[in-house]
Amino acid sequence: MCGRIFVKTSLEELISNFAFAVKGGDIDGLGNRFPRWNGAPSQDYPIIVRDIVREPDTSGPIFVTARWGLMPSWAKPGGRPPPVNVRCETISGNGMFRSAYRSRRCLVPINGFFEWKDIHGTGKNKQPYAIAMKDGSPFALAGIWETWTDEKGVSIRNFAVVTCEPNEMMAEIHDRMPVILHRADYERWLSAEPDPNDLMKPFPAELMSMWKIGRDVGSPKNDRPEIIEEAEDDPEPTLI
């Protein structure tokens, strides 16, 4: 799965690294929330969708604000937390995700994400890792998005990250990883093509890097640069 991410630049710098997308009107409100060193679900993020970029009918990639956790328009408030991940194997057939997958796909720009290794197979003793590109460059996760209206009539755009089988590197710590898209595939993922299923595959391990980090990442309240610093082997792995 993918339940934590980090963005180590300002919002403006992040946007400049994805210059093919224009900046939507609601994105400036996120400016003081980045860098974000320990991003969690239920928080708002800049994502890239295909929408109207120039009236009356010119569409293209655009940065918009969205909340992490998928809530379709028909979802009722309360109950279980909204899903933050969607398995690529079932995304086209699951009624909760099918419509968004066919017509509302998005890119989630980040600098890296976190994952935990279940060291002893107990589900309790886990070692956290940070994962990023080997060259340190930002990249985009594949996502789907929806719009949900709350009790006050406020429309909230929201999203989930698509996951797939792990590559060789990620398989050392977990049985899933987020779908990372090559830049050459961004346009196709955002297009009207209904089922680009061949894009949902493990990203090449040789282009990625992974390192152990400290236990403070367990709480999203710990949002500081030191979170992603490499840690020595921990004799008492973090308990989550």
Side-chain angles (χ1 to χ4, degrees):
M1 62 177 294
C2 177
R4 295 287 179 81
I5 62 177
F6 63 90
V7 175
K8 60 183 183 180
T9 66
S10 68
L11 179 64
E12 286 300 324
E13 186 175 347
L14 180 70
I15 290 174
S16 70
N17 280 292
F18 297 85
F20 63 90
V22 303
K23 189 168 71 170
D26 68 342
I27 204 73
D28 287 331
L30 293 177
N32 62 354
R33 305 184 199 182
F34 292 86
R36 180 175 285 162
W37 301 98
N38 194 2
S42 79
Q43 297 174 328
D44 292 340
Y45 296 87
I47 67 170
I48 301 172
V49 303
R50 189 169 188 85
D51 206 343
I52 299 298
V53 296
R54 187 167 62 253
E55 298 293 351
D57 57 1
T58 302
S59 64
I62 182 172
F63 269 98
V64 296
T65 298
R67 186 164 299 168
W68 193 2
L70 197 76
M71 290 279 286
S73 59
W74 45 263
K76 296 181 179 179
R80 293 185 297 178
V84 299
N85 293 154
V86 184
R87 295 176 68 94
C88 69
E89 296 88 347
T90 57
I91 192 171
S92 64
N94 188 306
M96 185 173 186
F97 311 127
R98 181 172 56 239
S99 177
Y101 170 61
R102 293 180 66 87
S103 59
R104 290 182 298 279
R105 295 186 297 270
C106 64
L107 304 174
V108 184
I110 62 173
N111 286 107
F113 60 96
F114 303 115
E115 193 53 84
W116 282 258
K117 181 179 182 179
D118 189 354
I119 297 175
H120 302 296
T122 63
K124 295 181 180 179
N125 297 328
K126 297 183 179 182
Q127 170 64 53
Y129 287 79
I131 300 98
M133 291 295 111
K134 189 169 289 185
D135 64 2
S137 62
F139 56 98
L141 307 181
I144 58 174
W145 66 274
E146 289 276 10
T147 301
W148 180 76
T149 303
D150 68 12
E151 300 92 330
K152 298 180 180 179
V154 177
S155 293
I156 301 172
R157 197 189 304 254
N158 55 83
F159 71 96
V161 172
V162 182
T163 67
C164 63
E165 292 291 318
N167 61 24
E168 299 91 334
M169 183 191 78
M170 286 297 300
E172 297 178 11
I173 64 171
H174 206 275
D175 62 357
R176 304 292 293 178
M177 70 177 291
V179 172
I180 300 170
L181 295 168
H182 293 274
R183 284 187 173 260
D185 295 325
Y186 289 174
E187 182 176 357
R188 185 176 166 212
W189 183 255
L190 293 175
S191 75
E193 181 181 341
D195 187 19
N197 62 352
D198 59 297
L199 298 183
M200 297 185 290
K201 58 187 178 183
F203 196 78
E206 62 271 18
L207 300 179
M208 300 177 67
S209 177
M210 178 174 73
W211 63 97
K212 291 181 181 180
I213 57 173
R215 64 181 65 191
D216 284 352
V217 71
S219 172
K221 294 180 180 178
N222 297 322
D223 186 20
R224 56 185 187 273
E226 294 78 15
I227 286 293
I228 66 171
E229 291 182 356
E230 188 166 4
E232 299 294 330
D233 287 343
D234 190 349
E236 297 182 4
T238 184
L239 301 179
I240 62 172

